[in-house]
Amino acid sequence: MLFPWSVTVTTHPLLHITACQWLFGDLADGWRTTATTHLLIRLVLMWMQLWDFNLTLCGSQMMRLLNRVPMTALTAAQMTATLIGNPMMNQRMMTMITAATTVMDLHLHDVCLISAVSSGIPEEPKTFDEAWNHPDPEERKKWRESIRKEFRDMINRKVWRHVPKRDIPEGRRLVGCKWVFKIKRNGVYRARLVALGYSQIPGVDFQDNYAPVINDVTFRLMLIRVLVEGLKTRAIDIETAFLHGDLEEEIYMTIPRGYVEAGYEVGPDDCCALGKCIYGLVQAARQYWKKFVKTLEQYGFQVSKADPCLMYREDENGICMIVIYVDDCVLVGTEQSIDVATKQIQEHFTIKIEDELNDYLGCEIKLDLDRKRGWISQPHIIKNLKAKFAEEVRHLKSTKTPGTP
């Protein structure tokens, strides 16, 4: 390989659809604010290596440092020249930066188009007040019902209890919370109350936070088994999944905005002592995953040695495999074994069932069992791109973006 950095920018963990192929490595977080600087720095580093400059700082170290310091391309280039121990090369590097800018602008334009795609066309409220007091009566009604449903779920599952703030142990911090509003692609209005996990204290409010999800290769293999062996599929969604996770720490949270507006009473000096996990807590995904896996193990399911989010069971009803991606699961197996597993899961969790696997993790899935072929795509991404950037890209040449075979 000519260059030490090589990566394919992808848009989805299951699809691996190539957005752009870069010779200058993985892009750091913050596409719109620092992408230009990062790309130019990487290009300069590669050119200097090709020209046998004496590099004393590798690219990954450079990027970690630059990520912490906001800079323009000019100051970044000067800093790069100083750090690599070749201050005499500043002028030469400035010449390279100037030459690279025109080339990079074209690539950056394409990247920004992809990274700026919104998940949906309708405008979604950003705050509780925008949702609760929406100017459109129909929209306002839907958002208010969604907020009330979220409160009902929290209270029915006994997620919290009210305690006076004076009862909070010394040295503990009140975790904040906020509302997140989303219009799903199926038209459902979702209001989600989430904790501000960044205000949690490591070692006090949480210990571990890692929670695995299904590997994209494992998911593809499951689809192949469906096509080859003629197995059945069923998608299930665990409602309010994170509320099932049991907390192992004491966490105190502020009273959610809208609690009184929704018709609930609360004292002026009250706060919430959490007894269950809620969305936004650092450990929420991990605690739910532990609870879900433990529940399935009670019914004879085993965790695959190849993937911690693939569980399987084989008995007189046939094989049943469960793909787990947080609260979205796919059951693969014989029809009888899937029915039994679904009923067992329903004994512990409230679920939504889709008998046909048509949509999973934002991907549109089509399976042709007769021809033993399958397709995974994201047509809504293209539609959103067209709606948001139609005028900008109208004059550009059309190309076919390659995907993995």
Side-chain angles (χ1 to χ4, degrees):
M1 184 181 293
L2 185 60
F3 296 144
W5 302 280
S6 180
V7 76
T8 298
V9 181
T10 61
T11 60
H12 195 279
L14 298 184
L15 283 173
H16 280 292
I17 288 183
T18 306
C20 301
Q21 289 184 331
W22 301 91
L23 288 176
F24 10 89
D26 54 331
L27 300 181
D29 291 336
W31 295 71
R32 305 169 200 174
T33 56
T34 56
T36 304
T37 299
H38 291 173
L39 291 173
L40 293 176
I41 293 294
R42 288 186 182 277
L43 191 58
V44 167
L45 289 172
M46 286 186 294
W47 280 353
M48 295 190 72
Q49 187 175 45
L50 288 176
W51 291 353
D52 295 326
F53 285 1
N54 180 25
L55 292 179
T56 59
L57 190 63
C58 74
S60 59
Q61 291 174 319
M62 175 70 72
M63 294 311 301
R64 279 198 296 270
L65 178 61
L66 295 182
N67 280 340
R68 300 176 184 176
V69 185
M71 296 179 278
T72 64
L74 180 64
T75 58
Q78 291 172 334
M79 189 176 206
T80 305
T82 303
L83 286 173
I84 62 177
N86 292 278
M88 299 300 294
M89 296 298 170
N90 279 8
Q91 186 57 46
R92 195 170 188 180
M93 290 182 68
M94 291 304 136
T95 303
M96 292 190 295
I97 288 287
T98 303
T101 301
T102 54
V103 178
M104 303 310 298
D105 282 346
L106 297 176
H107 294 296
L108 185 61
H109 180 266
D110 294 338
V111 171
C112 287
L113 287 180
I114 294 169
S115 63
V117 177
S118 61
S119 59
I121 303 304
E123 288 293 330
E124 296 159 347
K126 301 297 188 297
T127 65
F128 171 82
D129 287 327
E130 288 183 15
W132 191 262
N133 302 310
H134 199 284
D136 187 317
E138 288 299 321
E139 293 283 303
R140 181 167 63 245
K141 181 180 178 180
K142 292 178 180 179
W143 286 124
R144 288 190 177 188
E145 177 54 33
S146 179
I147 291 170
R148 291 190 179 100
K149 180 182 183 302
E150 183 75 354
F151 276 132
R152 286 196 301 269
D153 290 337
M154 296 281 186
I155 293 171
N156 292 339
R157 298 190 184 282
K158 300 180 180 179
V159 173
W160 62 58
R161 70 182 191 280
H162 293 172
V163 297
K165 292 181 181 178
R166 61 178 177 272
D167 291 346
I168 298 177
E170 187 177 352
R172 300 304 300 274
R173 178 187 299 173
L174 270 178
V175 176
C177 59
K178 63 175 287 188
W179 285 97
V180 177
F181 302 98
K182 185 75 174 175
I183 303 176
K184 303 186 74 174
R185 288 197 295 126
N186 59 5
V188 174
Y189 283 62
R190 175 66 59 81
R192 183 75 75 194
L193 181 65
V194 300
L196 303 180
Y198 60 78
S199 58
Q200 290 182 253
I201 304 174
V204 177
D205 294 324
F206 69 92
Q207 303 298 326
D208 299 313
N209 61 356
Y210 173 73
V213 294
I214 193 69
N215 186 279
D216 67 291
V217 175
T218 306
F219 179 75
R220 289 164 180 257
L221 287 174
M222 291 300 101
L223 294 183
I224 291 174
R225 291 199 63 173
V226 171
L227 294 172
V228 174
E229 302 178 27
L231 299 176
K232 302 295 183 179
T233 62
R234 178 176 297 167
I236 63 173
D237 176 23
I238 311 296
E239 291 190 1
T240 59
F242 286 5
L243 305 187
H244 293 279
D246 297 319
L247 272 178
E248 299 173 359
E249 302 85 9
E250 288 186 359
I251 297 180
Y252 300 89
M253 186 182 76
T254 58
I255 297 295
R257 180 76 171 86
Y259 199 68
V260 176
E261 288 87 338
Y264 299 97
E265 296 182 0
V266 60
D269 193 43
D270 281 357
C271 66
C272 297
L274 298 182
K276 297 280 188 178
C277 286
I278 71 170
Y279 289 82
L281 289 180
V282 174
Q283 68 269 50
R286 177 178 178 84
Q287 295 305 113
Y288 159 72
W289 175 76
K290 289 169 62 176
K291 179 72 172 286
F292 190 67
V293 169
K294 184 177 179 180
T295 301
L296 292 179
E297 287 178 335
Q298 295 175 0
Y299 293 105
F301 280 90
Q302 302 179 53
V303 178
S304 168
K305 295 181 180 179
D307 194 317
C309 285
L310 173 64
M311 301 191 69
Y312 65 95
R313 179 182 66 188
E314 191 166 9
D315 54 21
E316 65 278 4
N317 297 315
I319 184 72
C320 181
M321 298 168 285
I322 302 181
V323 170
I324 306 171
Y325 195 105
V326 193
D327 56 347
D328 292 307
C329 302
V330 175
L331 281 64
V332 177
T334 62
E335 186 170 1
Q336 189 173 359
S337 67
I338 290 178
D339 289 339
V340 172
T342 302
K343 291 179 181 178
Q344 292 170 338
I345 294 174
Q346 283 180 311
E347 294 177 5
H348 301 268
F349 305 93
T350 303
I351 64 176
K352 291 181 180 178
I353 301 175
E354 293 183 16
D355 287 325
E356 295 295 331
L357 183 60
N358 298 320
D359 189 284
Y360 187 61
L361 303 180
C363 293
E364 185 178 290
I365 299 174
K366 294 181 179 179
L367 301 177
D368 188 337
L369 298 180
D370 295 331
R371 300 168 61 193
K372 297 191 183 303
R373 292 185 179 183
W375 296 265
I376 307 178
S377 60
Q378 286 183 300
H380 59 283
I381 293 291
I382 305 301
K383 292 179 182 178
N384 291 345
L385 273 171
K386 181 179 179 181
K388 192 164 187 176
F389 301 107
E391 295 303 321
E392 285 192 57
V393 301
R394 194 180 302 279
H395 64 283
L396 301 179
K397 293 181 180 179
S398 60
T399 58
K400 292 184 177 180
T401 304
T404 52

